[in-house]
Amino acid sequence: MGKDTIANIITSIRNADMDKKGTVRIASTNIAENIVKILLQEGFIENVRKHQEGHKYFLVSTLRHRRTRKGTYRTIFKRISRPGLRIYSNYQRIPKILGGMGIVILSTSRGIMTDREARLERIGGELLCYIC
């Protein structure tokens, strides 16, 4: 059984969001830093800081809980491509989540980016996950 760092990131954030935790701690890797940076830019995370324990680095992120009149609602994180089944798309076939309200995170030849950035640069890649 291999490590799926992207699924670990998504699961950690989803579990902390469902449990209404204020912060979540994620192991720091290049992929994790890029995904958290995108979540910070899109407003799903309030802030992030790098924390060291021994020889390991962690990203400590403060989650933003969005509220409605009936209380808080959950942010939906869904993994698309996985180690057993990789899903690739060109820029024209990148799915629009909720008519463009959600975001898709892609791994492209120019790094990890959102679906809007990939469409503007006209490049496709591996569909990592979507968030709405």
Side-chain angles (χ1 to χ4, degrees), residues 18-64:
M18 285 178 18
D19 207 22
K20 297 179 183 174
K21 299 270 185 184
T23 61
V24 63
R25 192 177 85 159
I26 303 167
S28 178
T29 61
N30 289 336
I31 294 173
E33 288 179 11
N34 289 330
I35 290 175
V36 167
K37 184 174 73 173
I38 288 174
L39 293 176
L40 185 64
Q41 289 171 352
E42 295 292 325
F44 293 103
I45 292 177
E46 286 183 11
N47 66 7
V48 64
R49 63 183 168 87
K50 204 166 192 177
H51 180 69
Q52 181 180 4
E53 289 182 14
H55 297 292
K56 294 184 179 182
Y57 287 93
F58 295 97
L59 297 172
V60 179
S61 304
T62 304
L63 299 178
R64 174 173 287 158

Side-chain angles (χ1 to χ4, degrees), residues 6-26:
I6 299 167
N8 291 341
I9 296 165
I10 293 170
T11 303
S12 297
I13 294 173
R14 184 186 316 127
N15 289 342
D17 188 42
M18 285 178 18
D19 207 22
K20 297 179 183 174
K21 299 270 185 184
T23 61
V24 63
R25 192 177 85 159
I26 303 167

